[in-house]
Amino acid sequence: MAASIVEHGEDAFRKLFKFYRRRNPPPDFSEVINFSKPCNDKVFPCELNSTSLSEDDVSKVGLQPIKDWRAFGLHGYPGFIFISNPFLPGSQQFWVKQCLKIYPQKPNVCNLDMHMSSVDTENIWERSIDAIQRKGNRKREPKTLLEKLRWVTLGYHYDWNSKTYSPEHYTPFPKELQSLSHKVAAACGFSGFDAEAGILNYYRSDSSLGIHVDESELDHTRPLLSYSFGQTAVFLLGGTKREDRPTALFMHSGDIMVMSGPSRLHYHAVPCIVPSPAGNVLPPGLCQRLETEVQDEDVIQSVCQEDWDICSWYLQTSRVNVTVRQVLASGQSFPATQTSQMSEEEPQMIKKRKSESGYERDT
Ligand SMILES: O=C(O)CCC(=O)C(=O)O
Ligand SMILES: [Mn+2]
């Protein structure tokens, strides 16, 4: 049992991370909180601001009416909000296509830019799809660029070395993701949220994301939003110290997490992608097509079958997570000079995140 492996006073986070990262034999997931069937005394229902936006407003970005969202808090983690898949049937497909086809495009920055020319990383999607269509499920073929993608940054591009954002390294943040994030934040009581930076993480079935705190943003009173698509992951939410025993949660496709208040600066990590018992299959929420016709003024648009075939092939074995951050308080500007402060853990994490193989990192 996961509870018995951690003793008081040691690096409780590292221990639990290693417990869930183990592959053979697979770990016991029975203590992982499942918000789609919450029955854990740490979980409590969370009241949202359901009058902040009309049904029409939220449906334009593919969300159900706020009154129908199932949102939860966790005792011991003030400011943490978990929204169990609030997307309208079929609308996750649009966001998945943005993450796989659109956001890796220039001028956004990705891990492949670190060791390939911009000409070679210009059309990751186009360069990958022919090979994917040809190879089907044959694993021996060389990996396509899409399969080598590990991270993409948007808006203020995070500098993994200096651990800072800077005004010199900025490209326009995608409007539709800004709109989605503005609405999710408003529903959670944060009106006027300004999405300024995004990090997309692409997880293959053996990936993990090391233990870290997101503290490079200059305004920590603004929430951090996280969207998950594809295969289920285990997320570990810790405290302000590595000795604090973390809580393990499943993150399913469509789930949204909001880290605000004290939890905004809590340690967290993704130790594993959960092996799907039924083999390479898509989570149910991703198999649906849009139920209603999209209107011209809608942000979400339908995804053509050819694009969806590639996305669904990819997500049968992968997960995509998007975190959206407001970097500056309203009216704030970057300080004239910035010094970088790396925690002990972080240099290793960054080095590994930057590397080609991405998340096969040891914490
Ligand atoms: O993949 C996740 O759920 C977490 C991502 C994350 O913590 C980050 O990008 O800072
Ligand atoms: Mn993080």
Side-chain angles (χ1 to χ4, degrees), residues 12-57:
F13 206 126
R14 185 188 297 265
K15 281 228 150 175
L16 214 58
F17 184 94
K18 285 192 167 169
F19 175 85
Y20 284 113
R21 203 186 47 179
R22 191 184 69 197
R23 296 216 192 106
N24 238 331
D28 172 4
F29 292 110
S30 62
E31 287 183 18
V32 183
I33 295 176
N34 187 352
F35 285 95
S36 44
K37 304 184 203 93
C39 54
N40 186 297
D41 49 17
K42 268 194 182 170
V43 177
F44 62 90
C46 175
E47 195 72 39
L48 297 179
N49 196 349
S50 56
T51 54
S52 55
L53 294 158
S54 71
E55 227 168 273
D56 203 36
D57 268 340

mmCIF file of all heavy atoms in Angstrom, residues 12-57:
data_model
loop_
_atom_site.group_PDB
_atom_site.id
_atom_site.type_symbol
_atom_site.label_atom_id
_atom_site.label_comp_id
_atom_site.label_asym_id
_atom_site.label_seq_id
_atom_site.Cartn_x
_atom_site.Cartn_y
_atom_site.Cartn_z
ATOM 1 N N ALA A 12 9.351 12.658 1.408
ATOM 2 C CA ALA A 12 8.138 11.874 1.171
ATOM 3 C C ALA A 12 7.709 11.967 -0.283
ATOM 4 O O ALA A 12 7.164 11.023 -0.852
ATOM 5 C CB ALA A 12 7.028 12.383 2.087
ATOM 6 N N PHE A 13 7.972 13.105 -0.903
ATOM 7 C CA PHE A 13 7.545 13.284 -2.288
ATOM 8 C C PHE A 13 8.310 12.335 -3.208
ATOM 9 O O PHE A 13 7.736 11.621 -4.024
ATOM 10 C CB PHE A 13 7.720 14.749 -2.712
ATOM 11 C CG PHE A 13 6.777 15.142 -3.815
ATOM 12 C CD1 PHE A 13 5.935 16.235 -3.694
ATOM 13 C CD2 PHE A 13 6.698 14.393 -4.972
ATOM 14 C CE1 PHE A 13 5.040 16.574 -4.707
ATOM 15 C CE2 PHE A 13 5.819 14.716 -5.991
ATOM 16 C CZ PHE A 13 4.999 15.808 -5.859
ATOM 17 N N ARG A 14 9.632 12.312 -3.034
ATOM 18 C CA ARG A 14 10.452 11.449 -3.899
ATOM 19 C C ARG A 14 10.034 9.976 -3.770
ATOM 20 O O ARG A 14 9.959 9.239 -4.739
ATOM 21 C CB ARG A 14 11.925 11.612 -3.564
ATOM 22 C CG ARG A 14 12.850 10.844 -4.505
ATOM 23 C CD ARG A 14 14.276 10.886 -3.999
ATOM 24 N NE ARG A 14 14.786 12.249 -3.983
ATOM 25 C CZ ARG A 14 15.495 12.782 -4.972
ATOM 26 N NH1 ARG A 14 15.758 12.068 -6.051
ATOM 27 N NH2 ARG A 14 15.936 14.022 -4.884
ATOM 28 N N LYS A 15 9.753 9.571 -2.525
ATOM 29 C CA LYS A 15 9.374 8.167 -2.298
ATOM 30 C C LYS A 15 8.102 7.801 -3.046
ATOM 31 O O LYS A 15 8.010 6.766 -3.693
ATOM 32 C CB LYS A 15 9.168 7.918 -0.798
ATOM 33 C CG LYS A 15 10.455 7.737 -0.063
ATOM 34 C CD LYS A 15 10.376 6.511 0.818
ATOM 35 C CE LYS A 15 11.771 5.923 0.962
ATOM 36 N NZ LYS A 15 11.791 4.821 1.896
ATOM 37 N N LEU A 16 7.097 8.669 -2.933
ATOM 38 C CA LEU A 16 5.827 8.355 -3.586
ATOM 39 C C LEU A 16 5.965 8.469 -5.107
ATOM 40 O O LEU A 16 5.340 7.710 -5.848
ATOM 41 C CB LEU A 16 4.719 9.288 -3.053
ATOM 42 C CG LEU A 16 3.353 8.635 -2.980
ATOM 43 C CD1 LEU A 16 3.352 7.397 -2.096
ATOM 44 C CD2 LEU A 16 2.288 9.610 -2.482
ATOM 45 N N PHE A 17 6.779 9.405 -5.550
ATOM 46 C CA PHE A 17 7.034 9.537 -6.988
ATOM 47 C C PHE A 17 7.604 8.227 -7.521
ATOM 48 O O PHE A 17 7.150 7.693 -8.533
ATOM 49 C CB PHE A 17 8.019 10.695 -7.218
ATOM 50 C CG PHE A 17 8.275 10.985 -8.669
ATOM 51 C CD1 PHE A 17 7.538 11.949 -9.342
ATOM 52 C CD2 PHE A 17 9.259 10.295 -9.365
ATOM 53 C CE1 PHE A 17 7.776 12.210 -10.690
ATOM 54 C CE2 PHE A 17 9.495 10.558 -10.704
ATOM 55 C CZ PHE A 17 8.752 11.522 -11.364
ATOM 56 N N LYS A 18 8.585 7.693 -6.823
ATOM 57 C CA LYS A 18 9.219 6.434 -7.266
ATOM 58 C C LYS A 18 8.231 5.270 -7.200
ATOM 59 O O LYS A 18 8.241 4.391 -8.052
ATOM 60 C CB LYS A 18 10.440 6.132 -6.411
ATOM 61 C CG LYS A 18 11.605 7.032 -6.778
ATOM 62 C CD LYS A 18 12.865 6.528 -6.134
ATOM 63 C CE LYS A 18 14.060 7.237 -6.761
ATOM 64 N NZ LYS A 18 15.290 6.999 -6.009
ATOM 65 N N PHE A 19 7.386 5.287 -6.176
ATOM 66 C CA PHE A 19 6.386 4.227 -6.028
ATOM 67 C C PHE A 19 5.481 4.174 -7.275
ATOM 68 O O PHE A 19 5.256 3.114 -7.842
ATOM 69 C CB PHE A 19 5.547 4.486 -4.763
ATOM 70 C CG PHE A 19 4.417 3.524 -4.566
ATOM 71 C CD1 PHE A 19 4.622 2.299 -3.945
ATOM 72 C CD2 PHE A 19 3.128 3.835 -5.018
ATOM 73 C CE1 PHE A 19 3.583 1.399 -3.778
ATOM 74 C CE2 PHE A 19 2.084 2.937 -4.857
ATOM 75 C CZ PHE A 19 2.310 1.711 -4.235
ATOM 76 N N TYR A 20 4.982 5.346 -7.701
ATOM 77 C CA TYR A 20 4.042 5.351 -8.831
ATOM 78 C C TYR A 20 4.752 5.250 -10.186
ATOM 79 O O TYR A 20 4.134 4.912 -11.181
ATOM 80 C CB TYR A 20 3.144 6.594 -8.781
ATOM 81 C CG TYR A 20 2.067 6.466 -7.731
ATOM 82 C CD1 TYR A 20 2.049 7.279 -6.605
ATOM 83 C CD2 TYR A 20 1.081 5.487 -7.848
ATOM 84 C CE1 TYR A 20 1.071 7.144 -5.628
ATOM 85 C CE2 TYR A 20 0.105 5.334 -6.875
ATOM 86 C CZ TYR A 20 0.105 6.167 -5.771
ATOM 87 O OH TYR A 20 -0.865 6.000 -4.817
ATOM 88 N N ARG A 21 6.036 5.528 -10.222
ATOM 89 C CA ARG A 21 6.736 5.442 -11.505
ATOM 90 C C ARG A 21 7.144 4.003 -11.840
ATOM 91 O O ARG A 21 7.468 3.694 -12.991
ATOM 92 C CB ARG A 21 7.963 6.349 -11.493
ATOM 93 C CG ARG A 21 8.366 6.729 -12.899
ATOM 94 C CD ARG A 21 9.632 7.491 -12.924
ATOM 95 N NE ARG A 21 10.641 6.861 -12.096
ATOM 96 C CZ ARG A 21 11.864 7.309 -11.950
ATOM 97 N NH1 ARG A 21 12.222 8.401 -12.570
ATOM 98 N NH2 ARG A 21 12.729 6.701 -11.188
ATOM 99 N N ARG A 22 7.107 3.153 -10.847
ATOM 100 C CA ARG A 22 7.531 1.762 -11.076
ATOM 101 C C ARG A 22 6.658 1.119 -12.158
ATOM 102 O O ARG A 22 5.456 1.323 -12.198
ATOM 103 C CB ARG A 22 7.382 1.006 -9.750
ATOM 104 C CG ARG A 22 8.012 -0.354 -9.749
ATOM 105 C CD ARG A 22 7.741 -1.047 -8.459
ATOM 106 N NE ARG A 22 6.317 -1.411 -8.322
ATOM 107 C CZ ARG A 22 5.741 -1.740 -7.181
ATOM 108 N NH1 ARG A 22 6.440 -1.737 -6.068
ATOM 109 N NH2 ARG A 22 4.461 -2.072 -7.142
ATOM 110 N N ARG A 23 7.303 0.327 -13.031
ATOM 111 C CA ARG A 23 6.504 -0.306 -14.094
ATOM 112 C C ARG A 23 6.276 -1.788 -13.851
ATOM 113 O O ARG A 23 5.232 -2.310 -14.164
ATOM 114 C CB ARG A 23 7.213 -0.155 -15.446
ATOM 115 C CG ARG A 23 7.311 1.280 -15.807
ATOM 116 C CD ARG A 23 7.172 1.561 -17.272
ATOM 117 N NE ARG A 23 7.578 2.962 -17.419
ATOM 118 C CZ ARG A 23 8.714 3.323 -17.937
ATOM 119 N NH1 ARG A 23 9.524 2.444 -18.455
ATOM 120 N NH2 ARG A 23 9.036 4.598 -17.994
ATOM 121 N N ASN A 24 7.313 -2.450 -13.310
ATOM 122 C CA ASN A 24 7.245 -3.890 -13.194
ATOM 123 C C ASN A 24 7.586 -4.387 -11.800
ATOM 124 O O ASN A 24 8.736 -4.302 -11.409
ATOM 125 C CB ASN A 24 8.235 -4.513 -14.193
ATOM 126 C CG ASN A 24 7.509 -5.430 -15.149
ATOM 127 O OD1 ASN A 24 6.481 -6.003 -14.788
ATOM 128 N ND2 ASN A 24 8.052 -5.563 -16.343
ATOM 129 N N PRO A 25 6.670 -4.883 -11.010
ATOM 130 C CA PRO A 25 5.236 -4.958 -11.301
ATOM 131 C C PRO A 25 4.614 -3.569 -11.187
ATOM 132 O O PRO A 25 5.172 -2.714 -10.498
ATOM 133 C CB PRO A 25 4.710 -5.868 -10.185
ATOM 134 C CG PRO A 25 5.669 -5.661 -9.052
ATOM 135 C CD PRO A 25 7.002 -5.363 -9.661
ATOM 136 N N PRO A 26 3.470 -3.343 -11.839
ATOM 137 C CA PRO A 26 2.847 -2.014 -11.778
ATOM 138 C C PRO A 26 2.413 -1.675 -10.352
ATOM 139 O O PRO A 26 2.112 -2.570 -9.563
ATOM 140 C CB PRO A 26 1.634 -2.128 -12.706
ATOM 141 C CG PRO A 26 1.443 -3.570 -12.955
ATOM 142 C CD PRO A 26 2.706 -4.293 -12.645
ATOM 143 N N PRO A 27 2.402 -0.393 -9.996
ATOM 144 C CA PRO A 27 2.029 -0.025 -8.630
ATOM 145 C C PRO A 27 0.543 -0.264 -8.368
ATOM 146 O O PRO A 27 -0.252 -0.409 -9.291
ATOM 147 C CB PRO A 27 2.330 1.474 -8.582
ATOM 148 C CG PRO A 27 2.278 1.925 -9.990
ATOM 149 C CD PRO A 27 2.708 0.775 -10.837
ATOM 150 N N ASP A 28 0.205 -0.263 -7.078
ATOM 151 C CA ASP A 28 -1.190 -0.363 -6.666
ATOM 152 C C ASP A 28 -1.774 1.056 -6.733
ATOM 153 O O ASP A 28 -1.292 1.961 -6.044
ATOM 154 C CB ASP A 28 -1.174 -0.912 -5.230
ATOM 155 C CG ASP A 28 -2.543 -0.887 -4.574
ATOM 156 O OD1 ASP A 28 -3.519 -0.521 -5.261
ATOM 157 O OD2 ASP A 28 -2.619 -1.222 -3.376
ATOM 158 N N PHE A 29 -2.778 1.235 -7.585
ATOM 159 C CA PHE A 29 -3.361 2.568 -7.754
ATOM 160 C C PHE A 29 -4.563 2.794 -6.834
ATOM 161 O O PHE A 29 -5.290 3.766 -7.002
ATOM 162 C CB PHE A 29 -3.805 2.771 -9.215
ATOM 163 C CG PHE A 29 -2.659 2.839 -10.203
ATOM 164 C CD1 PHE A 29 -2.434 1.817 -11.113
ATOM 165 C CD2 PHE A 29 -1.811 3.942 -10.226
ATOM 166 C CE1 PHE A 29 -1.387 1.878 -12.030
ATOM 167 C CE2 PHE A 29 -0.756 4.025 -11.127
ATOM 168 C CZ PHE A 29 -0.545 2.990 -12.031
ATOM 169 N N SER A 30 -4.791 1.882 -5.870
ATOM 170 C CA SER A 30 -6.056 1.960 -5.125
ATOM 171 C C SER A 30 -6.178 3.212 -4.252
ATOM 172 O O SER A 30 -7.272 3.578 -3.866
ATOM 173 C CB SER A 30 -6.263 0.692 -4.282
ATOM 174 O OG SER A 30 -5.212 0.597 -3.346
ATOM 175 N N GLU A 31 -5.045 3.862 -3.933
ATOM 176 C CA GLU A 31 -5.153 5.076 -3.103
ATOM 177 C C GLU A 31 -5.173 6.359 -3.921
ATOM 178 O O GLU A 31 -5.146 7.453 -3.367
ATOM 179 C CB GLU A 31 -3.991 5.111 -2.110
ATOM 180 C CG GLU A 31 -4.183 4.100 -1.014
ATOM 181 C CD GLU A 31 -3.090 4.147 0.035
ATOM 182 O OE1 GLU A 31 -2.377 5.163 0.120
ATOM 183 O OE2 GLU A 31 -2.952 3.148 0.740
ATOM 184 N N VAL A 32 -5.224 6.232 -5.238
ATOM 185 C CA VAL A 32 -5.233 7.427 -6.084
ATOM 186 C C VAL A 32 -6.673 7.958 -6.159
ATOM 187 O O VAL A 32 -7.601 7.193 -6.453
ATOM 188 C CB VAL A 32 -4.711 7.109 -7.510
ATOM 189 C CG1 VAL A 32 -4.652 8.376 -8.354
ATOM 190 C CG2 VAL A 32 -3.336 6.442 -7.440
ATOM 191 N N ILE A 33 -6.854 9.230 -5.881
ATOM 192 C CA ILE A 33 -8.213 9.805 -5.884
ATOM 193 C C ILE A 33 -8.727 9.893 -7.318
ATOM 194 O O ILE A 33 -8.036 10.398 -8.215
ATOM 195 C CB ILE A 33 -8.223 11.195 -5.221
ATOM 196 C CG1 ILE A 33 -7.870 11.055 -3.737
ATOM 197 C CG2 ILE A 33 -9.586 11.885 -5.391
ATOM 198 C CD1 ILE A 33 -7.764 12.379 -2.993
ATOM 199 N N ASN A 34 -9.944 9.374 -7.510
ATOM 200 C CA ASN A 34 -10.561 9.412 -8.832
ATOM 201 C C ASN A 34 -11.748 10.380 -8.770
ATOM 202 O O ASN A 34 -12.796 10.052 -8.217
ATOM 203 C CB ASN A 34 -11.042 8.000 -9.196
ATOM 204 C CG ASN A 34 -11.543 7.931 -10.616
ATOM 205 O OD1 ASN A 34 -11.671 8.963 -11.284
ATOM 206 N ND2 ASN A 34 -11.835 6.730 -11.083
ATOM 207 N N PHE A 35 -11.584 11.566 -9.335
ATOM 208 C CA PHE A 35 -12.635 12.579 -9.224
ATOM 209 C C PHE A 35 -13.853 12.254 -10.082
ATOM 210 O O PHE A 35 -14.879 12.895 -9.956
ATOM 211 C CB PHE A 35 -12.096 13.962 -9.583
ATOM 212 C CG PHE A 35 -11.223 14.565 -8.516
ATOM 213 C CD1 PHE A 35 -9.846 14.424 -8.580
ATOM 214 C CD2 PHE A 35 -11.773 15.256 -7.448
ATOM 215 C CE1 PHE A 35 -9.032 14.981 -7.602
ATOM 216 C CE2 PHE A 35 -10.975 15.819 -6.468
ATOM 217 C CZ PHE A 35 -9.592 15.676 -6.537
ATOM 218 N N SER A 36 -13.758 11.266 -10.984
ATOM 219 C CA SER A 36 -14.977 10.943 -11.726
ATOM 220 C C SER A 36 -15.904 10.087 -10.852
ATOM 221 O O SER A 36 -17.086 9.970 -11.141
ATOM 222 C CB SER A 36 -14.685 10.315 -13.090
ATOM 223 O OG SER A 36 -13.698 9.368 -12.997
ATOM 224 N N LYS A 37 -15.354 9.456 -9.801
ATOM 225 C CA LYS A 37 -16.214 8.758 -8.807
ATOM 226 C C LYS A 37 -15.671 9.109 -7.426
ATOM 227 O O LYS A 37 -15.108 8.268 -6.735
ATOM 228 C CB LYS A 37 -16.124 7.237 -8.976
ATOM 229 C CG LYS A 37 -16.449 6.720 -10.338
ATOM 230 C CD LYS A 37 -16.414 5.183 -10.292
ATOM 231 C CE LYS A 37 -16.171 4.594 -11.663
ATOM 232 N NZ LYS A 37 -14.785 4.320 -12.005
ATOM 233 N N PRO A 38 -15.791 10.369 -7.005
ATOM 234 C CA PRO A 38 -15.122 10.731 -5.758
ATOM 235 C C PRO A 38 -15.775 10.093 -4.533
ATOM 236 O O PRO A 38 -16.966 10.217 -4.336
ATOM 237 C CB PRO A 38 -15.237 12.263 -5.706
ATOM 238 C CG PRO A 38 -16.361 12.607 -6.599
ATOM 239 C CD PRO A 38 -16.537 11.497 -7.579
ATOM 240 N N CYS A 39 -15.005 9.337 -3.779
ATOM 241 C CA CYS A 39 -15.525 8.794 -2.525
ATOM 242 C C CYS A 39 -14.340 8.742 -1.578
ATOM 243 O O CYS A 39 -13.866 7.719 -1.204
ATOM 244 C CB CYS A 39 -16.167 7.424 -2.709
ATOM 245 S SG CYS A 39 -15.077 6.267 -3.510
ATOM 246 N N ASN A 40 -13.825 9.905 -1.288
ATOM 247 C CA ASN A 40 -12.643 10.008 -0.445
ATOM 248 C C ASN A 40 -12.902 11.165 0.514
ATOM 249 O O ASN A 40 -13.401 12.210 0.085
ATOM 250 C CB ASN A 40 -11.451 10.316 -1.381
ATOM 251 C CG ASN A 40 -10.145 10.292 -0.636
ATOM 252 O OD1 ASN A 40 -9.928 11.090 0.268
ATOM 253 N ND2 ASN A 40 -9.261 9.389 -1.025
ATOM 254 N N ASP A 41 -12.573 10.970 1.784
ATOM 255 C CA ASP A 41 -12.947 12.034 2.728
ATOM 256 C C ASP A 41 -12.094 13.293 2.599
ATOM 257 O O ASP A 41 -12.369 14.292 3.242
ATOM 258 C CB ASP A 41 -13.045 11.519 4.179
ATOM 259 C CG ASP A 41 -11.841 10.708 4.579
ATOM 260 O OD1 ASP A 41 -10.828 10.821 3.878
ATOM 261 O OD2 ASP A 41 -11.929 9.963 5.585
ATOM 262 N N LYS A 42 -11.064 13.259 1.760
ATOM 263 C CA LYS A 42 -10.294 14.480 1.498
ATOM 264 C C LYS A 42 -11.008 15.394 0.492
ATOM 265 O O LYS A 42 -10.691 16.559 0.349
ATOM 266 C CB LYS A 42 -8.950 14.106 0.866
ATOM 267 C CG LYS A 42 -7.834 13.918 1.838
ATOM 268 C CD LYS A 42 -6.520 13.900 1.075
ATOM 269 C CE LYS A 42 -5.362 13.672 2.011
ATOM 270 N NZ LYS A 42 -4.120 13.418 1.270
ATOM 271 N N VAL A 43 -11.956 14.814 -0.277
ATOM 272 C CA VAL A 43 -12.589 15.543 -1.381
ATOM 273 C C VAL A 43 -13.885 16.204 -0.917
ATOM 274 O O VAL A 43 -14.675 15.587 -0.229
ATOM 275 C CB VAL A 43 -12.913 14.558 -2.543
ATOM 276 C CG1 VAL A 43 -13.635 15.249 -3.689
ATOM 277 C CG2 VAL A 43 -11.647 13.879 -3.035
ATOM 278 N N PHE A 44 -14.077 17.462 -1.311
ATOM 279 C CA PHE A 44 -15.362 18.116 -1.000
ATOM 280 C C PHE A 44 -15.823 18.901 -2.223
ATOM 281 O O PHE A 44 -14.990 19.349 -3.026
ATOM 282 C CB PHE A 44 -15.233 19.023 0.239
ATOM 283 C CG PHE A 44 -14.255 20.164 0.080
ATOM 284 C CD1 PHE A 44 -14.652 21.401 -0.406
ATOM 285 C CD2 PHE A 44 -12.908 19.988 0.401
ATOM 286 C CE1 PHE A 44 -13.747 22.444 -0.556
ATOM 287 C CE2 PHE A 44 -11.995 21.029 0.257
ATOM 288 C CZ PHE A 44 -12.419 22.259 -0.228
ATOM 289 N N PRO A 45 -17.148 19.029 -2.399
ATOM 290 C CA PRO A 45 -17.645 19.766 -3.573
ATOM 291 C C PRO A 45 -17.281 21.242 -3.479
ATOM 292 O O PRO A 45 -17.251 21.801 -2.394
ATOM 293 C CB PRO A 45 -19.158 19.572 -3.526
ATOM 294 C CG PRO A 45 -19.456 18.811 -2.300
ATOM 295 C CD PRO A 45 -18.211 18.533 -1.530
ATOM 296 N N CYS A 46 -17.027 21.834 -4.603
ATOM 297 C CA CYS A 46 -16.575 23.232 -4.603
ATOM 298 C C CYS A 46 -17.590 24.079 -5.381
ATOM 299 O O CYS A 46 -17.976 23.731 -6.497
ATOM 300 C CB CYS A 46 -15.201 23.258 -5.271
ATOM 301 S SG CYS A 46 -14.532 24.867 -5.495
ATOM 302 N N GLU A 47 -18.025 25.136 -4.758
ATOM 303 C CA GLU A 47 -19.022 26.037 -5.353
ATOM 304 C C GLU A 47 -18.316 26.941 -6.369
ATOM 305 O O GLU A 47 -17.308 27.568 -6.031
ATOM 306 C CB GLU A 47 -19.589 26.893 -4.208
ATOM 307 C CG GLU A 47 -20.865 27.648 -4.503
ATOM 308 C CD GLU A 47 -22.075 26.734 -4.593
ATOM 309 O OE1 GLU A 47 -22.182 25.775 -3.805
ATOM 310 O OE2 GLU A 47 -22.902 27.020 -5.457
ATOM 311 N N LEU A 48 -18.853 27.001 -7.585
ATOM 312 C CA LEU A 48 -18.231 27.899 -8.576
ATOM 313 C C LEU A 48 -19.118 29.115 -8.791
ATOM 314 O O LEU A 48 -20.257 29.159 -8.350
ATOM 315 C CB LEU A 48 -17.998 27.167 -9.901
ATOM 316 C CG LEU A 48 -17.026 25.995 -9.838
ATOM 317 C CD1 LEU A 48 -16.894 25.347 -11.207
ATOM 318 C CD2 LEU A 48 -15.657 26.426 -9.325
ATOM 319 N N ASN A 49 -18.584 30.064 -9.539
ATOM 320 C CA ASN A 49 -19.300 31.293 -9.816
ATOM 321 C C ASN A 49 -20.157 31.088 -11.077
ATOM 322 O O ASN A 49 -19.770 31.489 -12.172
ATOM 323 C CB ASN A 49 -18.234 32.380 -10.036
ATOM 324 C CG ASN A 49 -18.789 33.755 -9.954
ATOM 325 O OD1 ASN A 49 -20.008 33.917 -9.936
ATOM 326 N ND2 ASN A 49 -17.922 34.739 -9.923
ATOM 327 N N SER A 50 -21.312 30.425 -10.905
ATOM 328 C CA SER A 50 -22.054 29.979 -12.089
ATOM 329 C C SER A 50 -22.792 31.106 -12.795
ATOM 330 O O SER A 50 -23.298 30.924 -13.904
ATOM 331 C CB SER A 50 -23.018 28.851 -11.729
ATOM 332 O OG SER A 50 -23.861 29.286 -10.719
ATOM 333 N N THR A 51 -22.858 32.280 -12.186
ATOM 334 C CA THR A 51 -23.543 33.380 -12.872
ATOM 335 C C THR A 51 -22.542 34.299 -13.591
ATOM 336 O O THR A 51 -22.929 35.266 -14.226
ATOM 337 C CB THR A 51 -24.351 34.228 -11.868
ATOM 338 O OG1 THR A 51 -23.458 34.640 -10.832
ATOM 339 C CG2 THR A 51 -25.504 33.451 -11.269
ATOM 340 N N SER A 52 -21.247 33.954 -13.502
ATOM 341 C CA SER A 52 -20.237 34.843 -14.086
ATOM 342 C C SER A 52 -20.326 34.865 -15.614
ATOM 343 O O SER A 52 -19.954 35.844 -16.246
ATOM 344 C CB SER A 52 -18.837 34.449 -13.637
ATOM 345 O OG SER A 52 -18.601 33.095 -13.952
ATOM 346 N N LEU A 53 -20.808 33.794 -16.210
ATOM 347 C CA LEU A 53 -20.852 33.706 -17.681
ATOM 348 C C LEU A 53 -22.117 32.990 -18.123
ATOM 349 O O LEU A 53 -22.565 32.053 -17.447
ATOM 350 C CB LEU A 53 -19.642 32.902 -18.178
ATOM 351 C CG LEU A 53 -18.268 33.533 -17.949
ATOM 352 C CD1 LEU A 53 -17.196 32.462 -17.974
ATOM 353 C CD2 LEU A 53 -17.977 34.590 -19.006
ATOM 354 N N SER A 54 -22.645 33.388 -19.264
ATOM 355 C CA SER A 54 -23.868 32.747 -19.745
ATOM 356 C C SER A 54 -23.525 31.398 -20.385
ATOM 357 O O SER A 54 -22.383 31.128 -20.747
ATOM 358 C CB SER A 54 -24.539 33.643 -20.787
ATOM 359 O OG SER A 54 -23.746 33.629 -21.962
ATOM 360 N N GLU A 55 -24.582 30.586 -20.557
ATOM 361 C CA GLU A 55 -24.436 29.282 -21.204
ATOM 362 C C GLU A 55 -23.836 29.427 -22.594
ATOM 363 O O GLU A 55 -22.992 28.650 -23.036
ATOM 364 C CB GLU A 55 -25.837 28.665 -21.312
ATOM 365 C CG GLU A 55 -25.861 27.243 -20.869
ATOM 366 C CD GLU A 55 -27.258 26.717 -20.696
ATOM 367 O OE1 GLU A 55 -27.835 26.877 -19.596
ATOM 368 O OE2 GLU A 55 -27.765 26.124 -21.665
ATOM 369 N N ASP A 56 -24.290 30.480 -23.270
ATOM 370 C CA ASP A 56 -23.835 30.748 -24.625
ATOM 371 C C ASP A 56 -22.340 31.082 -24.656
ATOM 372 O O ASP A 56 -21.587 30.595 -25.502
ATOM 373 C CB ASP A 56 -24.653 31.953 -25.120
ATOM 374 C CG ASP A 56 -24.701 31.983 -26.618
ATOM 375 O OD1 ASP A 56 -24.757 30.878 -27.210
ATOM 376 O OD2 ASP A 56 -24.650 33.096 -27.183
ATOM 377 N N ASP A 57 -21.936 31.898 -23.671
ATOM 378 C CA ASP A 57 -20.525 32.305 -23.579
ATOM 379 C C ASP A 57 -19.594 31.109 -23.445
ATOM 380 O O ASP A 57 -18.550 31.044 -24.087
ATOM 381 C CB ASP A 57 -20.323 33.166 -22.309
ATOM 382 C CG ASP A 57 -20.479 34.638 -22.599
ATOM 383 O OD1 ASP A 57 -20.360 35.013 -23.775
ATOM 384 O OD2 ASP A 57 -20.735 35.399 -21.635
#
